[in-house]
Amino acid sequence: MLNLFDDSEEEAEIEKILAHHTAISADTDEQQFRDVLQALPAAIYTTDAEGRITFFNEACIEFAGHVPAIGDMWCVSWKLFRPDGTPLPYGECPMAVALRENRPVRNMEAIAERPDGSRICFMPYPTPLRDADGRLIGAVNMLVDTTMRKQAEERMMRLAWEVDHRANNLLAVIQAILRLTKADTAQEFQAAFQGRLSVLANVQRLFSVSRWTGANIRAIIEQELKPYAVHDSRRVAIDGGDLRLTATVAQAIAVSVHELATNAAKYGSLSSPSGKIAVSWRTDNANLSLRWQESGGPKVAAPTRTGFGVGAVDGVVRTLSGTITRQWEPEGLICEFCFPDIAA
């Protein structure tokens, strides 16, 4: 019967109740009027002209969490509060205002507390009742539970804040990657930048799949190294326990693994059919250690100059106060990362 997002529905119900009251008043069939109210699923009660409760339906009992007493003043609720949490005296409740000023009260919200301590956000619709001569004889009130709507609004606000926060974070990461991406030609710059953006997109997808609870480190690494293990799964070995990472750490590891794999495909172990990569990680309290080891490729030596990919990895790691060490062994590069305080 009630659409909590459209007040016109509640207004229509009130109009029906008033119309029915006017019709049966001429026949003085008060019992029929009460039977109609009792059958409605909404919490409804009536008072006399002074504000004493004269009737309440079963839905009212469920709403209030107790059985009100005939003759109580103004309201069926155990306790009342304003939307800001301050107490709302019964004499200032919407029903009291409606009777005192002889007018319907609309667009007011309140909080009802039950005897068990639970609370309900609601919107009342107190409306004066008049006899055939227009004299005030009481009022009828319909209490519409808006708790679910309030909770939905709060969830939407939290979601909007979260989206804004994540968007700003992602833009900051993209700006950092843009600053760190360097190349000798425009074509090389485009290829490198697009590759890093693709990495971020993949991480965002993993977060979306997990409903933003975190990105699994194994999924990140497997995703980045999958193209190199298509024809021979033995070329890539991954070892480590399940670990969910926050967005910043996940992005840093994804970019680092992407750059290492790209470098390995050009100059390291992945440039040789017999080359292999082993990636492992472990955690110590809130610290994460990750090891990248290449083998089976061409002999390597420490480079004479810092490559653009190396600079990008170092820059991303530094933003998280992490450390990175490289060992240019003849069998292949060994790279170790340490990220502190990764606990969410």
Side-chain angles (χ1 to χ4, degrees), residues 159-175:
L159 178 60
W161 180 88
E162 184 69 17
V163 169
D164 180 66
H165 172 72
R166 293 189 184 280
N168 288 334
N169 173 267
L170 186 58
L171 287 174
V173 173
I174 292 174
Q175 288 175 334

Side-chain angles (χ1 to χ4, degrees), residues 140-156:
V140 59
N141 198 0
M142 179 167 65
L143 310 176
V144 179
D145 187 346
T146 60
T147 305
M148 293 183 64
R149 184 183 76 183
K150 288 292 183 182
Q151 292 172 346
E153 290 174 351
E154 290 174 1
R155 287 194 297 270
M156 288 297 294

Side-chain angles (χ1 to χ4, degrees), residues 294-302 327-334:
E294 300 180 25
S295 62
K299 290 186 177 182
V300 297
Q327 301 176 50
W328 303 94
E329 301 291 341
E331 296 80 11
L333 170 66
I334 298 176

Side-chain angles (χ1 to χ4, degrees), residues 15-326:
E15 291 298 328
K16 289 178 183 178
I17 293 172
L18 293 177
H20 192 77
H21 174 265
T22 302
I24 67 174
S25 293
D27 300 329
T28 64
D29 191 355
E30 183 179 351
Q31 185 59 46
Q32 183 184 0
F33 179 54
R34 294 190 175 197
D35 289 344
V36 170
L37 298 184
Q38 193 65 260
L40 294 174
I44 296 174
Y45 69 95
T46 61
T47 70
D48 61 18
E50 283 70 42
R52 291 184 290 267
I53 295 175
T54 58
F55 168 83
F56 53 85
N57 64 1
E58 288 294 328
C60 231
I61 298 175
E62 182 179 353
F63 175 93
H66 71 108
V67 180
I70 298 297
D72 283 351
M73 293 297 292
W74 312 121
C75 189
V76 297
S77 300
W78 182 259
K79 293 181 181 179
L80 284 175
F81 298 87
R82 296 183 176 89
D84 63 3
T86 58
L88 176 61
Y90 288 141
E92 298 177 15
C93 73
M95 176 61 95
V97 174
L99 286 169
R100 189 164 50 245
E101 300 181 7
N102 194 10
R103 66 174 179 86
V105 174
R106 300 291 185 267
N107 301 319
M108 289 188 65
E109 292 181 303
I111 300 172
E113 182 175 292
R114 295 170 169 142
D116 64 3
S118 61
R119 292 190 173 189
I120 300 176
C121 299
F122 73 99
M123 185 170 287
Y125 288 82
T127 305
L129 296 174
R130 301 180 180 89
D131 61 17
D133 297 324
R135 292 188 299 268
L136 178 68
I137 60 172
V140 59
N141 198 0
M142 179 167 65
L143 310 176
V144 179
D145 187 346
T146 60
T147 305
M148 293 183 64
R149 184 183 76 183
K150 288 292 183 182
Q151 292 172 346
E153 290 174 351
E154 290 174 1
R155 287 194 297 270
M156 288 297 294
M157 290 181 64
R158 288 197 298 268
L159 178 60
W161 180 88
E162 184 69 17
V163 169
D164 180 66
H165 172 72
R166 293 189 184 280
N168 288 334
N169 173 267
L170 186 58
L171 287 174
V173 173
I174 292 174
Q175 288 175 334
I177 288 178
L178 181 62
R179 291 194 302 270
L180 293 169
T181 301
K182 296 178 175 61
D184 293 323
T185 66
Q187 289 77 13
E188 290 179 354
F189 176 88
Q190 182 180 8
F193 188 63
Q194 285 181 341
R196 291 164 186 172
L197 283 184
S198 178
V199 170
L200 294 181
N202 290 335
V203 172
Q204 295 303 306
R205 184 184 60 80
L206 291 176
F207 271 95
S208 177
V209 169
S210 70
R211 295 183 181 273
W212 300 98
T213 59
N216 190 289
I217 185 173
R218 177 177 292 274
I220 293 172
I221 294 173
E222 287 179 347
Q223 189 169 251
E224 289 304 316
L225 298 182
K226 183 177 180 179
Y228 306 103
V230 171
H231 301 295
D232 186 356
S233 60
R234 294 173 298 178
R235 299 195 71 189
V236 175
I238 300 175
D239 181 40
D242 286 340
L243 178 64
R244 288 193 177 275
L245 303 176
T246 60
T248 51
V249 178
Q251 290 162 354
I253 289 178
V255 170
S256 298
V257 171
H258 171 78
E259 294 301 326
L260 288 169
T262 300
N263 185 75
K266 290 181 178 179
Y267 315 110
S269 61
L270 294 179
S271 65
S272 169
S274 60
K276 296 181 180 179
I277 291 176
V279 183
S280 60
W281 62 88
R282 60 183 176 83
T283 56
D284 178 16
N285 294 325
N287 301 322
L288 169 65
S289 298
L290 186 144
R291 179 183 176 90
W292 170 284
Q293 184 170 357
E294 300 180 25
S295 62
K299 290 186 177 182
V300 297
T304 57
R305 71 179 184 91
T306 300
F308 299 134
V310 171
V313 171
D314 289 355
V316 170
V317 173
R318 280 197 302 270
T319 60
L320 296 176
S321 301
T323 60
I324 179 171
T325 60
R326 296 179 178 86

